[in-house]
Amino acid sequence: MILTKSTLLSNKTITVSGSKSISNRLLILHALFSNIRITNLSDSQDTKLLQAALENNSDTIDVHHAGTAMRFLTSYFAIREGKTTILTGSDRMKQRPIKPLVDALKQLGAEIDYLENNGYPPLKIRGHKLRGGEVKIQANVSSQFITSLMLIGAKLENGITIILEGKITSIPYLEMTLKILRTIGISNSWESDTIKVEPNIQTEKNSQIIPFTIESDWSSASYFYSLAAIGRNSISLKCFKPFSLQGDSAIRELYWEYFGVNTISEGAEAKISLLPESNFKYPERIELNMNACPDLAQTICVTAAALKISFHITGLETLKIKETDRLSALQNELFKIGCLTETTDESIWSTNFIEPAANISIETYTDHRMAMSFAPFCLLQELSIENEEVVQKSYPNFWADLAQCLTPQTDLDEKQ
């Protein structure tokens, strides 16, 4: 896809689909507790794959690239009594570790075998009634492993007590899960390194219908913050709540502090307006630990590179096991837009800015966030996005929504 050099139109309003993170959690909980009624479900490919998997009675479930589905379904099928499931995915999925979650489930008595490489999908899962109790798990690999256990906890006779070992990553996502559980009536607590989810055996009293309207996705909103920061024009987004369950709502504070984009909430309309300050003084350097919101890192880096603001982003250890090695991919593609960087296993920092390539072609590495985070650079220079269909994973309408915000720019200097 070629994105021509464009100007950001002012005061456009975009309606963003429901949060993928919340949707995926609610789908598992709905499968476990049938009294939950969901509205504004995400239209992302990941959510559709998870929904299809939960409705599929086949012995083999293929989640393709959907890492969240792989992790959440591993625990879900482990407690499906009498059902044996082969859980598989794409070639990349077979390279993404799942051993910490499998080890934790085995502590509870789960029967799970690796069918190819030890520690990686595909898995053969024989469902049993698990009683629950205490389990230990590494907390520094993926918060989704921990969330996967929390989601099934209330269906276990003794609930679940999760002992977190090592540095805890993506804390807001764990807090989100606990808040969702409380919203549907499941008691839980988190003290120090211990998370507890109490058992919740459905009775007539607690089987009343529980409606749950999913707020829109703050990760998806981040690309419009980048547009506003680079294009210095206002954009409005729906449907967003002033008080969010999502850790990625931190984008509001980040873009205000570093890029001068103010967020005005209009609660009655569930709308936010992104308003760039006209005389904002940019920082000389951005120093930021993004352990709590690593999915925003690519967007922040591209925005900073576009505005030629030096940056040093840490806390990114989980990016190497995402859809691609995002740190390596970021380094490669930032170079094309004129930003030289260095990386470690958990950080990336700019070292210099140079002229961007004359013909920029952004490789996406089958990673939806690579495509969307680099798209706003078209406000400065024409570029092409390879395999643009990868946005289906989280935001199928992204290109149409982006087009609503842009108008092709006539470069008068070249014509003179």
Side-chain angles (χ1 to χ4, degrees):
M1 170 178 284
I2 296 175
L3 301 177
T4 59
K5 187 178 180 182
S6 301
T7 297
L8 181 62
L9 296 170
S10 183
N11 296 320
K12 289 293 180 180
T13 299
I14 303 297
T15 299
V16 179
S17 173
S19 160
K20 178 167 71 80
S21 298
I22 297 177
S23 293
N24 291 344
R25 285 159 172 76
L26 262 294
L27 283 175
I28 294 292
L29 291 169
H30 177 263
L32 296 172
F33 301 96
S34 57
N35 59 322
I36 301 170
R37 294 292 180 267
I38 307 170
T39 54
N40 197 32
L41 194 68
S42 169
D43 61 2
S44 67
Q45 185 182 64
D46 268 16
T47 297
K48 290 177 180 177
L49 283 167
L50 178 55
Q51 189 172 25
L54 290 167
E55 295 170 354
N56 190 344
N57 290 319
S58 171
D59 294 336
T60 299
I61 302 295
D62 186 346
V63 299
H64 303 285
H65 293 306
T68 306
M70 172 61 70
R71 290 156 178 175
F72 289 2
L73 289 172
T74 297
S75 296
Y76 173 77
F77 286 124
I79 64 169
R80 287 288 305 277
E81 293 181 60
K83 179 173 175 57
T84 297
T85 306
I86 293 174
L87 190 56
T88 189
S90 64
D91 288 343
R92 172 58 183 167
M93 185 60 63
K94 294 177 182 180
Q95 300 170 3
R96 299 179 71 177
I98 199 162
K99 189 175 188 297
L101 176 58
V102 171
D103 287 350
L105 287 165
K106 285 183 175 181
Q107 292 175 49
L108 297 173
E111 191 175 351
I112 304 173
D113 296 316
Y114 300 110
L115 295 181
E116 293 181 13
N117 296 317
N118 187 54
Y120 298 87
L123 306 173
K124 185 174 184 178
I125 306 169
R126 297 175 181 85
H128 295 291
K129 180 178 181 179
L130 304 182
R131 295 190 180 279
E134 185 175 295
V135 62
K136 296 180 180 179
I137 187 169
Q138 297 171 34
N140 62 346
V141 180
S142 172
S143 65
Q144 289 182 2
F145 295 158
I146 303 162
T147 286
S148 181
L149 296 170
M150 287 195 283
L151 292 175
I152 66 166
K155 292 295 284 187
L156 307 180
E157 183 179 323
N158 300 319
I160 194 167
T161 299
I162 306 169
I163 309 300
L164 306 176
E165 298 185 326
K167 180 181 177 182
I168 305 171
T169 190
S170 301
I171 289 174
Y173 284 97
L174 300 178
E175 293 174 335
M176 174 203 294
T177 305
L178 293 173
K179 288 175 184 176
I180 291 171
L181 291 173
R182 285 195 289 271
T183 300
I184 65 170
I186 295 172
S187 299
N188 58 70
S189 63
W190 184 359
E191 295 181 9
S192 184
D193 61 353
T194 303
I195 293 174
K196 291 185 178 181
V197 178
E198 302 297 334
N200 188 294
I201 308 303
Q202 275 198 327
T203 64
E204 186 176 340
K205 180 181 178 182
N206 66 9
S207 64
Q208 296 177 350
I209 298 301
I210 301 172
F212 199 114
T213 300
I214 297 170
E215 62 177 318
S216 292
D217 189 68
W218 280 98
S219 305
S220 297
S222 71
Y223 312 115
F224 297 97
Y225 274 88
S226 184
L227 285 168
I230 299 169
R232 309 316 289 179
N233 249 335
S234 62
I235 306 173
S236 293
L237 304 174
K238 299 175 72 171
C239 305
F240 290 90
K241 301 176 182 179
F243 303 100
S244 174
L245 292 173
Q246 300 171 62
D248 284 351
S249 63
I251 198 74
R252 294 173 292 192
E253 289 74 31
L254 295 175
Y255 270 75
W256 169 243
E257 181 175 356
Y258 298 113
F259 306 116
V261 177
N262 198 7
T263 303
I264 305 299
S265 295
E266 300 174 42
E269 297 184 49
K271 182 171 79 171
I272 56 173
S273 296
L274 319 185
L275 306 175
E277 292 285 318
S278 56
N279 297 313
F280 181 73
K281 184 178 180 181
Y282 296 111
E284 291 186 6
R285 185 173 176 84
I286 297 171
E287 295 278 353
L288 193 56
N289 185 313
M290 299 191 71
N291 177 269
C293 50
D295 282 344
L296 302 178
Q298 288 148 292
T299 313
I300 292 281
C301 288
V302 172
T303 307
L307 297 172
K308 291 184 167 50
I309 302 171
S310 296
F311 58 86
H312 182 199
I313 312 296
T314 59
L316 304 179
E317 51 268 31
T318 61
L319 294 196
K320 297 186 78 65
I321 61 165
K322 296 285 188 176
E323 285 76 358
T324 186
D325 178 346
R326 284 181 175 167
L327 287 174
S328 176
L330 254 180
Q331 184 173 40
N332 294 341
E333 305 313 302
L334 285 171
F335 174 74
K336 296 176 183 177
I337 66 170
C339 179
L340 304 183
T341 60
E342 292 186 13
T343 67
T344 67
D345 284 344
E346 61 87 38
S347 65
I348 184 168
W349 64 95
S350 60
T351 59
N352 199 9
F353 295 104
I354 60 174
E355 280 297 308
N359 298 301
I360 301 172
S361 180
I362 299 299
E363 187 176 343
T364 53
Y365 307 83
T366 69
D367 182 354
H368 54 132
R369 299 202 190 282
M370 289 298 293
M372 294 184 285
S373 61
F374 278 85
F377 196 79
C378 74
L379 293 171
L380 301 180
Q381 186 174 330
E382 179 175 295
L383 73 159
S384 63
I385 305 289
E386 298 178 17
N387 302 314
E388 72 276 5
E389 68 278 0
V390 295
V391 302
Q392 295 290 326
K393 180 177 175 65
S394 64
Y395 193 169
N397 292 328
F398 176 73
W399 299 120
D401 288 347
L402 178 69
Q404 287 187 55
C405 300
L406 303 177
T407 184
Q409 186 181 105
T410 303
D411 196 335
L412 297 176
D413 291 338
E414 290 184 4
K415 291 185 176 182
Q416 291 175 352

